[in-house]
Amino acid sequence: MAEYVLDFEKDIVVLEAQIAKMKEKEGADDNEAIAREIAGMEKRLDKIRAEVYANLSGWQKVQVSRHPDRPYTLDYIEHIFTDFIELHGDRLGFDDKAIVGGWAKLDGQPVMLIGHQKGKNTKTRQYRNFGMANPEGYRKALRLMKMAEKFDRPVITMIDTPGAYPGLEAEERGQGEAIARNLREMAVLKVPIVCVVIGEGASGGALGIGVGDRVLMMENTWYSVISPESCSSILWRNWDNKEIAAEALNLTADKMLANGLIDGIIKEPLGGAHADHEKTYKLVKAELKRHIKELKDIEPDQLVMLRIDKFSHMGHFQEG
Amino acid sequence: MKWFKRVKEGILTSTQEKKEIPDGLWWQCPSCKEKVTSKELQANLGVCPKCGHHDRIGSQEYFELLFDDGQFQELNANMSSADPLHFIDTKAYPDRLVAAQKSTKLRDAVRTAQGKIGGHGAVVACMDFDFIGGSMGSVVGEKISRGIDCAIKNRLGMIIISKSGGARMMEAAFSLMQMAKTSAKLALLAEAKLPYISVLTDPTTGGVTASYAMLGDVNLAEPNALIGFAGPRVIKETIKKDLPAGFQRSEFLLEHGLVDVIVERAALKPTISNLLCMMKVTKKKKREAKEETAQA
Ligand SMILES: [Zn+2]
C-alpha cells in the first residue's frame, strides 16, 4: 500500500493494493480468469477515481496539491526537457536549495527553467527547506531570468511552495526586498515567461517567480494570498476552519480562472498527478509548448505591455 | 487618534480646516509612559516630546505635513472596495468595510494626492493603518497604480508612505495580485526616469514590504518602525527562539542595508524635498526617456 493516503482516497488505495496482489498471482499462474478479474477491478478503480475526483472540495484539492507522490520541479525537468544544466547561486554569497534553475531544451528549443523544489524524504525535505525559499533563492531566480533575457530565450517557472521562509536570517537579508524586486523586474523582462503552479502557490513566496505572460495552474493545485490553515488561525483564531477558509479563499484552479487571475488550467490525469506521472508529463509538456509557441513571435515591447496590462486589470472595486 | 477633520473627497483642503482640540485632553506615551496634552502631541506631529516615540498618524496628517501650505488635490477619492468573493469569516466582508468606513471616516486603507513638496511636483500615496490594519486590497493596489500613472503622465515624483499589516485576506488572490500590479507600475515609473521615494512607517509588513515598500530609489524609515516580510510572531514560532532586541526595527534594517535613511517625522518634508531636487530629471535624461516612450 502507498505510504501516504489521503482520507478520501482510501477506497482507491485499497483497490490498487488488491489489483497489485492479483497481478502478482497472474504472473505466477498465467490464468485467464485472473486477467479478466483484474480488468474488472481496474474498471472499478477508474470509476471510483472519477467519482472522487469529480467532487473534490477546495480543501481536498489543497491536500492533493501537497501529495508527496506528485512530481516536483526536478521531476518535470528530467522527464519533459533534455540537456538540463543546473545553475547555482545568487553571486552574492549563497545558493538556495529551495529554488532550482538552469538551461534546458524543450524539444530542442533552449529555455530557462526555474522552480521551487521540495524534498522526497526527511533528509531531502530539510535540504530543500520544504520548498520555502530564502531571499537568495529569489535573487538566483532573477539572475537566471536576466540571463534568459540576454540570450533571448523564454523562461518557464514552476511554483510549488508553502511560502517564502519566515526566518530570522531571511529577514536580515531582505526577504521582502528580494521578492519585490522580482515582481518589478519580471514585469518588464523582454522574453516570454510561462509560470505553472504545480503544487502549492502560497502568497508572495509563489508570486516571487510568478509574474508571467501565462500563469497556469494544474488542475489540483491552489494559489492564494495565504494558506487555508493560516487564514483560519488569523480570521477565526483557531485551526479548525481550514475547510471553510479554503472555500472562502477561492484558491482552486477553476475559481482562479473564473476570477480572471490566471490564464489557464493544465488537466491532470484521472486521480491526480500522483496517480500517473507519465501522463502528467505529457499533459504539461503539451501545454508548455503551446503557450511558448503563442508567445514567441510577439515583439518584446508588446509582450511587456501586454503583461503589465494584464496584471493592471486585476482587482475589484467600485467608484462613486 | 483623530486630530483633524477629515475632508470631503476631491476638494482642496488647507491647514485652516484643522479641528481644534479642546484643552484638557491628555495622551500617555506608550514608550516612556509620560503624559502630555493632545495639543502638545499634535503640535509635535504625533511624536512624543519627551522621548521621541513616533506615534501612528494618518494620511490627512501626512498630507498636511508634506504638501506646501497643506494644499493638495486628492486623486480617486471615491473608490471603495467591492466584495468579489462574497467573503465571510466571523463577519461578512461588506459589514467589516462599512464598520471601518464609519469608524475612520475613510473609504479604504490608502489615499492618494497630488501637490507640491518644497516646490517639486509630486504624487503622495499614504496608507491608513486604522482601516482594517492598513491591509492591501484591490482599492489600495488600484489607487497606488493610478497614482503612479498620474506621476508618469505629469512627470512628477512618486512618494508612498507605507503603514500596513499586509494583504487583505478577504480579497484573497485579488489582494496578492496587487503586489504584482503596483510593482509593474513602479517599473514603468523607473523607465520614465522619475524618482520614487518609499517611506516606511510603523508597521510595514507582509505583502506591502514584498512589493512597493521596498522598491524605492530611496527607502526612508521613521525611527523604530516595525518593518519586515514575515511578522515577528510567525518567525518566533518558526525558529522557536526569542528574537533579538530591535529585530525588524528601522535601525536593524539600516544596519542590514535595506533602508537608506532613518528620518524623524519633523525632518520628513525637507528630506523628501531635498531628494526630489537631487533626483530631478535633467534635460538630457528627459530626452532619453521621451525617445524610449516614442520607441515603445
Ligand atoms: Zn515618550
Side-chain angles (χ1 to χ4, degrees), chain B residues 27-180:
Chain B
W27 172 83
Q28 188 180 25
C29 175
S31 177
C32 70
K33 310 287 175 215
E34 290 280 340
K35 279 184 183 164
V36 297
T37 65
S38 296
K39 256 194 166 163
E40 223 180 319
L41 182 67
Q42 178 193 352
N44 207 36
L45 308 169
V47 177
C48 173
K50 306 274 164 62
C51 75
H53 162 78
H54 280 55
D55 211 42
R56 277 175 204 154
I57 57 171
S59 54
Q60 184 66 22
E61 290 78 34
Y62 278 108
F63 287 163
E64 296 188 2
L65 169 69
L66 291 179
F67 286 117
D68 295 351
D69 305 316
Q71 299 280 327
F72 59 89
Q73 174 75 51
E74 186 164 352
L75 308 169
N76 302 295
N78 295 329
M79 201 185 291
S80 56
S81 290
D83 179 22
L85 303 175
H86 309 289
F87 198 97
I88 302 171
D89 50 276
T90 53
K91 215 175 177 185
Y93 181 38
D95 294 342
R96 273 188 200 282
L97 289 168
V98 169
Q101 283 161 352
K102 227 173 153 181
S103 73
T104 62
K105 305 281 184 288
L106 296 163
R107 286 295 189 96
D108 211 282
V110 77
R111 286 171 72 211
T112 50
Q114 181 183 341
K116 289 201 157 164
I117 300 174
H120 306 287
V123 172
V124 179
C126 184
M127 302 191 75
D128 278 290
F129 191 77
D130 288 347
F131 197 97
I132 317 187
S135 53
M136 172 178 53
S138 300
V139 171
V140 170
E142 183 69 16
K143 280 174 93 168
I144 288 178
S145 295
R146 289 194 196 178
I148 298 167
D149 287 342
C150 172
I152 293 172
K153 195 175 155 215
N154 300 296
R155 299 209 58 78
L156 307 169
M158 184 74 206
I159 292 131
I160 304 179
I161 302 172
S162 294
K163 190 183 285 284
S164 171
R168 188 168 300 168
M169 267 173 280
M170 302 78 154
E171 294 188 29
F174 283 105
S175 162
L176 181 68
M177 296 309 164
Q178 303 312 308
M179 294 167 64

Side-chain angles (χ1 to χ4, degrees), chain A residues 196-209:
Chain A
V196 188
V197 180
I198 59 168
E200 300 189 82
S203 198
L207 190 62
I209 57 166

Side-chain angles (χ1 to χ4, degrees), chain B residues 144-289:
Chain B
I144 288 178
S145 295
R146 289 194 196 178
I148 298 167
D149 287 342
C150 172
I152 293 172
K153 195 175 155 215
N154 300 296
R155 299 209 58 78
L156 307 169
M158 184 74 206
I159 292 131
I160 304 179
I161 302 172
S162 294
K163 190 183 285 284
S164 171
R168 188 168 300 168
M169 267 173 280
M170 302 78 154
E171 294 188 29
F174 283 105
S175 162
L176 181 68
M177 296 309 164
Q178 303 312 308
M179 294 167 64
K181 173 167 153 181
T182 51
S183 303
K185 291 286 183 182
L186 285 173
L188 295 179
L189 186 84
E191 285 188 351
K193 296 185 174 9
L194 292 164
Y196 167 39
I197 299 167
S198 172
V199 183
L200 300 116
T201 72
D202 185 64
T204 299
T205 59
V208 169
T209 302
S211 56
Y212 51 84
M214 275 294 158
L215 291 174
D217 291 305
V218 174
N219 293 337
L220 305 178
E222 287 192 343
N224 199 40
L226 177 74
I227 304 162
F229 174 64
R233 191 182 52 82
V234 176
I235 298 170
K236 214 174 140 175
E237 281 168 14
T238 306
I239 65 171
K240 296 178 179 71
K241 262 189 247 167
D242 281 333
L243 301 171
F247 178 66
Q248 289 186 315
R249 295 287 163 179
S250 306
E251 296 72 16
F252 173 93
L253 271 87
L254 186 83
E255 275 310 304
H256 286 92
L258 297 162
V259 157
D260 289 284
V261 195
I262 294 173
V263 184
E264 303 252 343
R265 200 169 284 158
L268 201 54
K269 175 166 179 164
T271 305
I272 288 175
S273 163
N274 195 7
L275 284 168
L276 287 176
C277 172
M278 307 227 221
M279 300 195 287
K280 200 165 207 161
V281 185
T282 61
K283 273 192 187 133
K284 183 169 172 273
K285 279 192 195 150
K286 211 183 238 169
R287 203 167 52 233
E288 283 170 8

